[in-house]
Amino acid sequence: LHDKAPGSVWMLQASAEAFESQKDYASAIAAFDRVLAVEPKRAGVHNKMGRVYLRRFQESHDAKDQGLAADEFRAELAADPLNGNSAYELAQLDYDQGNLEQARQGFEALLEVRPDFEQAHVGLAGVLLETRKPELAIPHLKRAVALNAEDEVAWYRLARASRAIGDVDGQKQAMAEFKRLQAQDASRKFAVVTTDGEV
């Protein structure tokens, strides 16, 4: 593909994803920009660019990258209003920046069209916990763990919410599941290290 169609959107997108995996974010963004120059309405590209900006923000802590990420997620939604991933990322950005009312509206709007979007249930529950409405958070967290029993954040928030409403048994059960998943994750990481021949 590289030799036969170096300027194809497939090749450009593959290059962008390779740059991203190498943490060369500037090159990844430039390659995604070239994809859009060739095919401006290509689905998912703005979402991918937004994720690159977020990854760069996690390393640089430059607030400008958060703003650029939000712009990309909005551009994706303008092209595809049903893109749940971009809607989720925008709501999560609001949550991370302390814009809890906007985050709540974003998560709720997403759940209206995608009721089984597990991470949106967890996100909305986070907003409800922050605004001291644990009793409203619990149904979302129970739905989240029903959809994905491996979500550590969901179990941890369920333990917090259960404690807040005085449900001691519920808190213990959720915290036990959270700790089990953490231990499982730690043992997986250890297995990867030992498989590589180093401890």
Side-chain angles (χ1 to χ4, degrees):
L1 185 59
H2 183 275
D3 294 333
K4 291 182 181 177
S8 74
V9 289
W10 298 104
M11 190 63 236
L12 291 169
Q13 191 161 324
S15 296
E17 290 167 3
F19 285 130
E20 182 184 1
S21 70
Q22 295 160 11
K23 298 188 177 185
D24 183 351
Y25 302 128
S27 296
I29 290 162
F32 280 129
D33 273 332
R34 288 195 295 275
V35 171
L36 291 170
V38 174
E39 195 176 320
K41 294 184 179 179
R42 186 168 180 79
V45 176
H46 285 292
N47 187 71
K48 288 176 185 291
M49 286 179 72
R51 294 289 302 150
V52 173
Y53 282 120
L54 283 184
R55 288 188 69 187
R56 190 166 75 178
F57 167 74
Q58 288 162 4
E59 294 184 11
S60 70
H61 304 292
D62 184 344
K64 182 177 71 175
D65 282 332
Q66 280 187 314
L68 291 167
D71 289 344
E72 293 301 331
F73 296 133
R74 286 190 198 99
E76 188 70 44
L77 286 169
D80 177 10
L82 296 178
N83 187 301
N85 292 321
S86 288
Y88 168 80
E89 294 293 356
L90 278 172
Q92 186 62 42
L93 272 169
D94 279 325
Y95 178 83
D96 292 341
Q97 294 169 345
N99 304 321
L100 297 182
E101 180 57 25
Q102 285 176 260
R104 183 186 64 77
Q105 291 174 11
F107 287 129
E108 287 178 345
L110 175 54
L111 288 169
E112 280 181 24
V113 293
R114 302 274 298 277
D116 288 340
F117 200 114
E118 183 258 337
Q119 290 175 305
H121 283 288
V122 178
L124 179 54
V127 173
L128 293 167
L129 284 169
E130 291 297 318
T131 53
R132 301 184 182 191
K133 295 171 184 165
E135 69 286 354
L136 299 180
I138 285 176
H140 290 287
L141 293 165
K142 287 185 175 179
R143 181 69 183 138
V145 297
L147 290 165
N148 177 13
E150 302 291 301
D151 189 330
E152 292 179 29
V153 175
W155 285 111
Y156 179 75
R157 287 183 178 172
L158 183 55
R160 277 185 60 200
S162 298
R163 182 182 66 206
I165 66 164
D167 179 2
V168 177
D169 289 340
Q171 177 194 353
K172 285 181 181 174
Q173 182 183 352
M175 187 54 71
E177 194 60 24
F178 168 70
K179 289 180 178 177
R180 183 189 71 78
L181 289 168
Q182 276 199 317
Q184 182 177 288
D185 189 43
S187 102
R188 274 199 207 110
K189 287 176 183 169
F190 180 76
V192 168
V193 171
T194 54
T195 301
D196 289 341
E198 300 289 338
V199 177

